[in-house]
Structure formats: structure tokens, C-alpha cells
Amino acid sequence: MSEKKRILTGDRTTGKLHLGHYVGSLQNRVKLQDEYESFILLADIQALTTHFEHPELLEHSIYEVAMDNLSVGLDPNKITLVQQSRIPSIGELTVFYSMLVSVNSLRHNPTIKTEAANYGYNDMTYGFLGYPVSQSADITFCKANLVPVGEDQKPHMEMTRKIVRRFNELYGETLVEPDMMLSDCPRLMGLDGNAKMGKSLGNAIYLSDPAEEVRKKVMSAVTDASRIKKDDPGHPDICVVSKYHKVFNGGEYENICESCKKGAIGCVACKKALAASLNDLLEPFREKRAYYEAHRDEVRDIILTGSEKANKIGNETVKEVKEAMHIYIGD
Ligand code: TRP
């Protein structure tokens, strides 16, 4: 058995991943893939909680999200890609854990509340309300030690840790309490000035966007509205483009802010520089992606093999969990 500690993290398969996913989690996955035994979950059941009326989108998205992960530099020989719906033990654990979770604690989960409001749900389905329980099963089926995720996942991590503690307290030390790893990069704002970059907000730069598309999206960003002429002094502290420079063009950030404040660099030049940095980052991803696009069978094999490996581990965990709960009477 591997001596390494385990990571489990993942994404809903509701569409392509964007730069916000990259700085929030994917970047950390790549950094940690040597140090940890990493499981990356293609969360297709969780995708159903919001997209059950759009099944046509799901199969395609499983491949898109798999390729997004592989194209940013996750090595299929190191990491394990797992398709959630292929892992029955996740479903089983979800049912067992559901005994330990109160409906009120789910109703008060801030991420559930925000998402329900965004989707306009006034009568949530049981599946949607309960997805944090299923997410706890995602994390614990392989006894993950660490979960690299964005800030919005914090309530789900707290719930997972609480379930694990409660389970171990009731039935004996069985599950592993995972730690959350937040990115040191602040949440990416939308280039349209929205507080968040998001697919549903229509302001996302996708990891798979062609260079020209990235340029177009950057050029349409909102900047300092009080700056009319190019040599008017700018206010980088209130400009979203400057925030992006800080994240994606760190070496030039101070210079650009100084030039902007003096009116020495205009918004167009500033945006062009940002688009160039983003495209420098994305170009190697595009190359890898082109390979996988042309070898979809290979992507499929990676998912199937990874899921099989995960299944063995998950089945072991379910056996231990059943034993602990005194409902296992043998094979
Ligand atoms: N809820 C996560 C998101 O929306 C996706 C996810 C599903 C996940 N299962 C997980 C993240 C397990 C970390 C661990 O991005």
C-alpha cells in the first residue's frame, strides 16, 4: 500500500472549467500530485442535483472536465480520475451518513442557500439539499487526508469533518477526518466587475478558450470608469484588470500599477498585456488538450481504470463502516 497521504477533490461535471477553478483548486492539484496520492472526482451525480433536467449535457461534460484536469498538467500516471456514478460505495456511504445529519443543518448551510438562490429554487429537491452529505461520502470513501478546494466549499468541509467525528464517536475509530486546503490566491472576480467568475454568470474565461477568445474577453473588461482619456491618472486599486495582473502577471504588477496611476499606460495596452500573460499560461494547456481531444478513447480508459481502482478502496471502506455499525454479517 502507498505510504503517501491522500487527496480527494473534484468538480461537478456541468460544463468546462475556467480560470477561477484553476487558481482556486487545479493549480494546487498539480503542485501536490507528487507528494500525495491524488483522486480527482468527476462529480456527475452532484451535477445531476442542479442539471437533472439537462441530461444531454452530462456525458459531454464528463469528458470536458476530465480533459481540463489532464490539460493543466495532472499526470494520468500519477493521479486517479474517478467518475462518481461508477462508485457505488459513495452512494452507500451517503445513506449511512444521512442518519447523522439533521435537515436543519443542511437548510442552514450557506453554500446551499447561495446556490439555491442563484438557481431560483424555492422548493429544493431532496437530492440538492442533501448533496453535502454525498460530498462527505466522496471525500471519505478513500479516507482522504486533504481536500484542496475554493472558499465556497468550507461549509461542506465542516459538515464532512463533523460526520466523521460523530461516526467515529458512535461506532469507533473508522473514518479519517480530512483537512481543507484553500488556495492562497483570492477568489477571482469576473472581468465584468461581478464578484465572482462563474459559468452561470456568463463572465468566465475557460481553460479551453482559444487565444483570440481570451483576448476578446479581456478587451471587454470593465476598468476604472472615471478614466476617459488614456493619460488620465488611473486607479488600479478599483480596477479588476489590475487584480488579474496581480494573479497572472505578478512580476509586472507593481510597474503596471505605477504606470496606470501616472497615466503612462492606457487601459487598452494594459489589457493587451494581461491577455498576453493569460495566453502564455493557457498555451501549454491547449497543446495537451489537443492531444486528448484527438485521443478520447485514452481519456475514457483513464476514467474507467481510475474508477475501478477507487471502487476497490471504496468497497473496503464500506465493509469497515458496516462492521463498525454492526450490520455486517459476512460475505
Ligand atoms: N462541490 C464541488 C464544487 O462545486 C465539487 C465536488 C464534488 C467536490 N465532490 C467533491 C470537491 C469532493 C471536493 C471534494 O466545486
Side-chain angles (χ1 to χ4, degrees):
M1 219 182 105
S2 161
E3 298 297 306
K4 287 180 182 172
K5 288 197 167 186
R6 280 188 181 152
I7 277 180
L8 182 129
T9 185
D11 315 282
R12 286 182 195 176
T13 54
T14 52
K16 305 177 279 189
L17 303 184
H18 53 64
L19 277 177
H21 294 114
Y22 181 72
V23 298
S25 179
L26 269 63
Q27 203 173 16
N28 276 334
R29 299 177 192 177
V30 176
K31 265 190 228 148
L32 297 170
Q33 65 179 328
D34 290 310
E35 197 185 329
Y36 286 81
E37 186 184 8
S38 300
F39 294 81
I40 311 293
L41 192 75
L42 306 165
D44 57 351
I45 299 179
Q46 196 174 111
L48 282 170
T49 65
T50 53
H51 286 62
F52 64 96
E53 289 167 312
H54 303 282
E56 72 287 352
L57 179 145
L58 294 172
E59 186 178 339
H60 177 69
S61 296
I62 292 165
Y63 279 96
E64 288 294 332
V65 174
M67 287 191 287
D68 283 326
N69 274 286
L70 294 170
S71 70
V72 299
L74 285 171
D75 179 346
N77 295 313
K78 293 180 187 161
I79 57 110
T80 305
L81 270 185
V82 182
Q83 185 185 355
Q84 191 185 25
S85 65
R86 293 187 76 84
I87 315 300
S89 57
I90 293 179
E92 293 180 77
L93 292 175
T94 303
V95 176
F96 296 143
Y97 297 166
S98 71
M99 314 303 161
L100 310 181
V101 178
S102 79
V103 175
N104 271 337
S105 70
L106 290 163
R107 283 224 180 95
H108 293 137
N109 178 308
T111 298
I112 288 282
K113 279 191 188 165
T114 313
E115 288 177 345
N118 287 347
Y119 284 106
Y121 298 155
N122 42 35
D123 189 15
M124 274 180 258
T125 65
Y126 171 55
F128 177 78
L129 178 69
Y131 92 71
V133 185
S134 164
Q135 186 155 324
S136 304
D138 296 342
I139 295 167
T140 52
F141 88 83
C142 64
K143 302 190 176 171
N145 306 94
L146 192 66
V147 186
V149 273
E151 184 96 50
D152 57 336
Q153 301 299 302
K154 211 169 175 177
H156 304 340
M157 286 308 303
E158 279 161 15
M159 167 160 290
T160 304
R161 291 165 60 87
K162 219 168 139 183
I163 289 174
V164 168
R165 284 199 297 267
R166 184 88 178 110
F167 188 100
N168 289 346
E169 184 187 283
L170 279 171
Y171 308 115
E173 207 60 36
T174 311
L175 301 169
V176 171
E177 193 173 330
D179 285 317
M180 173 177 188
M181 182 191 214
L182 278 177
S183 156
D184 33 3
C185 173
R187 170 139 96 193
L188 262 200
M189 288 181 68
L191 280 170
D192 56 355
N194 195 299
K196 191 179 162 188
M197 175 179 280
K199 184 170 42 201
S200 52
L201 301 167
N203 61 3
I205 295 182
Y206 294 101
L207 299 172
S208 49
D209 275 347
E212 192 43 44
E213 184 72 21
V214 171
R215 222 168 285 138
K216 254 200 258 160
K217 287 180 177 172
V218 172
M219 296 316 285
S220 70
V222 295
T223 52
D224 175 1
S226 68
R227 206 173 172 206
I228 314 284
K229 292 196 291 340
K230 174 172 159 262
D231 42 12
D232 287 345
H235 302 91
D237 44 320
I238 57 154
C239 175
V240 61
V241 176
S242 93
K243 295 195 169 48
Y244 272 64
H245 273 293
K246 188 167 186 176
V247 177
F248 297 104
N249 193 15
E252 287 297 309
Y253 173 67
E254 297 293 336
N255 271 342
I256 288 175
C257 288
E258 282 319 302
S259 307
C260 171
K261 280 186 207 156
K262 285 190 291 205
I265 179 175
C267 294
V268 171
C270 176
K271 287 176 177 178
K272 277 189 179 153
L274 174 63
S277 311
L278 291 181
N279 280 326
D280 283 349
L281 171 74
L282 295 175
E283 197 46 39
F285 303 170
R286 291 187 191 113
E287 278 167 31
K288 279 216 178 68
R289 189 182 195 90
Y291 171 85
Y292 287 113
E293 294 271 12
H295 297 84
R296 283 191 163 238
D297 286 353
E298 203 175 309
V299 178
R300 185 169 169 272
D301 282 347
I302 294 169
I303 300 172
L304 296 187
T305 315
S307 301
E308 206 177 300
K309 174 178 165 190
N311 253 329
K312 293 204 179 92
I313 297 169
N315 291 340
E316 269 307 302
T317 304
V318 165
K319 188 177 167 207
E320 288 171 37
V321 160
K322 285 182 175 175
E323 274 169 354
M325 292 187 302
H326 293 266
I327 55 172
Y328 183 77
I329 60 164
D331 290 315

